[in-house]
């Protein structure tokens, strides 16, 4: 899954004015502090716009509110990993582990007045309540992982707060500085305090600025798939210190689910790569897939596989199982295939060009071909058209609970296998569907649509999304016992169903 490969996150935002003066704000720098210039190459390599940096003596502030200690930058610049140009390794420390991000204690010291403390309480709750992400923050009284404190005069007048990135995967950034006389002590509404605290807490768990591009950052890291690089509503936009809290944006939520998913019940099985895989099916506890030209049996427990027979199945349009056999429509012909030997026989003389889906039910094959639904005798190939409906663009055809289900013209339908009469299930639009299967363990349909994985009721069409964006490039999907199996981005995954 992509989430395993991404290294840096893109989100967040905020703070501060764009007009920075590039001056040393603290006259009290010690003699041992190196000048800002010496850190420019490191900051550049991290992707930051080095015009938006300020020297704070022992630390450097980037993009208005992100703090790097010079000590940290020194150690980074000496790190072989950092110097390897390996983007994936570059920011690996910016992510927290599941354990670290699911139990973060945030506290304030006596320098923080009650109005800011109340805002902190709200900000902590907003992260914890973010649906679909495992992020859990608790407001504690006197100790914890992140201290919120006054800046004691450190921050410039136009900087409302500062924080930084996790120093390692087990440790959130440990301190948020609040400029209590921000903007010359002007009144700050509660919602503005909350906004800025949510933003700074986001940095502490690894989020960068969503609007990094507008801020002049180069992309020195991977961008989360499916997350836009402009999102006006993102709480992680930079230079937004005057914004009011109105909630996370849709993509804030999705990116949190991707990086820190609450639901992450999927596992890659085996190292094999499966590019160019055609629809997949299952039989007797194994998955069967046609990949390039050959038919393979895949062991779902470890992803090991063996080729089944020597047949050439290039261009297989549909595959399903019935009575212990595999059935394939390939090159417009219908075949029955022995799942152990791969020997095959053509069924009937009919040609099935433009087959869009196939499933089995009640001892019959059902095929949508040339926009028509047919019931086919699996021994003779004799067929009958069911109903007068046309089904152009059928996707994800499967059977469950005695009915045929398919997505056609972006809508989900349930079809009577005897008459061809049908009902639309729910009002959802399923544009961009790339996989669908049924799982009899919990009698639910599963759809991958726009890189997201959904559990769908076969009676009402009501749906629940499981996990975050993770399924770009899905091209095959089947169910075996209590799991589904997905080939995504050429890898074979076992995926949970609840
Ligand atoms: Zn920021």
């Amino acid at each position: 899954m992509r989430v395993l490969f991404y290294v840096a996150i893109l989100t967040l935002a905020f703070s501060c004015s764009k007009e920075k003066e590039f001056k040393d704000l603290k006259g009290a720098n010690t003699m041992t502090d190196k000048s800002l210039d010496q850190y420019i190459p490191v900051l550049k390599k991290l992707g930051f716009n080095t015009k938006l940096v300020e020297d704070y003596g022992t630390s450097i502030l980037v993009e208005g509110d992100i703090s790097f200690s010079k000590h940290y930058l020194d150690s980074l610049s000496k790190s072989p990993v950092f110097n390897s140009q390996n983007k994936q390794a570059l920011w690996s420390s910016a992510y927290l582990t599941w354990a670290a991000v699911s139990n973060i204690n945030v506290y304030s010291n006596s320098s923080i007045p009650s109005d800011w403390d109340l805002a902190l309480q709200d900000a902590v709750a907003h992260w914890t309540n973010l649906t679909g992400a495992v992020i859990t923050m608790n407001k504690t009284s006197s100790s914890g992982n992140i201290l919120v404190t006054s800046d004691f005069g450190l921050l410039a007048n136009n900087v409302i707060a500062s924080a930084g990135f996790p120093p390692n995967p087990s440790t959130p950034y440990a301190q948020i500085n609040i400029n209590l006389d921000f903007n010359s002590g002007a009144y700050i509404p509660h919602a503005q305090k909350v906004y800025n605290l949510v933003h700074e807490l986001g940095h502490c768990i690894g989020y960068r600025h969503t609007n990094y591009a507008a801020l002049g950052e180069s992309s020195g890291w991977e961008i989360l798939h499916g997350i836009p690089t402009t999102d006006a509503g993102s709480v992680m936009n930079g230079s937004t210190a005057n914004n009011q809290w109105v909630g996370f944006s849709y993509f804030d939520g999705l990116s949190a689910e991707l990086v820190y998913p609450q639901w992450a019940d999927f596992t890659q099985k085996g190292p094999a790569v499966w590019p160019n895989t055609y629809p997949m099916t299952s039989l007797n506890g194994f998955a069967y897939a046609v990949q390039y030209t050959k038919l393979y049996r895949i062991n779902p427990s470890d992803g090991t596989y063996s080729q089944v027979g020597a047949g050439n199945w290039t261009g297989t349009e549909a595959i399903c199982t019935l009575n212990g056999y595999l059935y394939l429509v390939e090159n417009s012909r219908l075949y029955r295939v022995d799942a152990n030997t791969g020997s095959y026989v053509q069924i009937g003389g009919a040609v099935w060009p433009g087959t869009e889906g196939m499933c089995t039910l009640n001892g019959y094959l059902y095929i949508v071909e040339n926009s028509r639904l047919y019931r086919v005798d699996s021994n003779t190939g004799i067929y009958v058209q069911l109903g007068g409906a046309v089904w152009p663009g059928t996707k994800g055809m499967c059977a469950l609970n005695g009915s045929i289900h398919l997505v056609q013209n972006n809508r989900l339908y349930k079809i009577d296998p005897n008459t061809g009469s049908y009902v639309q299930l729910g009002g959802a639009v399923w544009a961009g569907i790339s996989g669908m299967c049924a799982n009899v363990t919990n009698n639910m349909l599963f759809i991958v649509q726009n890189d997201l994985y959904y559990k769908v009721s076969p009676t009402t069409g009501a749906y629940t999304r499981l996990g975050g964006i993770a399924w770009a490039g899905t091209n095959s999907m089947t169910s075996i016992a209590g799991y589904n199996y997905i080939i995504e981005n050429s890898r074979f995954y076992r995926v949970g169903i609840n």
Side-chain angles (χ1 to χ4, degrees), residues 438-465:
N439 195 306
V440 296
T441 304
N442 60 358
N443 278 323
M444 297 296 277
L445 299 168
F446 293 85
I447 294 177
V448 172
Q449 186 234 9
N450 288 342
D451 311 342
L452 296 166
Y453 176 64
Y454 294 91
K455 177 169 71 172
V456 185
S457 163
T459 53
T460 66
Y463 57 88
T464 310
R465 177 158 52 84

Side-chain angles (χ1 to χ4, degrees), residues 12-15 62-66 199-200 203 209 236-239:
L12 284 245
F14 80 90
S15 212
V62 182
E63 290 185 8
D65 73 326
I66 303 165
H199 178 105
E200 298 303 339
H203 283 317
H209 286 145
M236 294 313 299
N237 281 319
S239 293

Side-chain angles (χ1 to χ4, degrees), residues 253-309:
L254 277 187
S255 62
E257 279 189 52
L258 176 55
V259 180
Y260 297 123
Q262 190 164 46
W263 190 95
D265 188 5
F266 54 82
T267 316
Q268 186 179 331
K269 292 294 183 180
V273 291
W274 297 94
N276 293 69
T277 300
Y278 298 95
M280 180 164 61
T281 191
S282 62
L283 180 65
N284 299 330
F286 288 93
Y288 287 85
V290 174
Q291 192 244 355
Y292 283 125
T293 61
K294 302 300 181 189
L295 174 64
Y296 293 93
R297 176 171 51 212
I298 308 171
N299 184 333
S301 65
D302 59 8
T304 56
Y305 58 91
S306 55
Q307 189 180 323
V308 180

Side-chain angles (χ1 to χ4, degrees), residues 107-121 139 147-152 160 176-180 193 197:
Y107 68 110
S108 58
N109 61 21
S110 59
S111 70
I112 294 298
S114 60
D115 55 340
W116 274 100
D117 212 46
L118 283 172
L120 179 60
Q121 213 161 302
K139 176 83 164 50
L147 167 67
V148 178
T149 176
S150 165
D151 71 328
F152 296 108
I160 193 167
I176 295 173
N177 290 323
I178 304 291
N179 184 355
L180 295 173
K193 296 188 183 92
L197 285 165

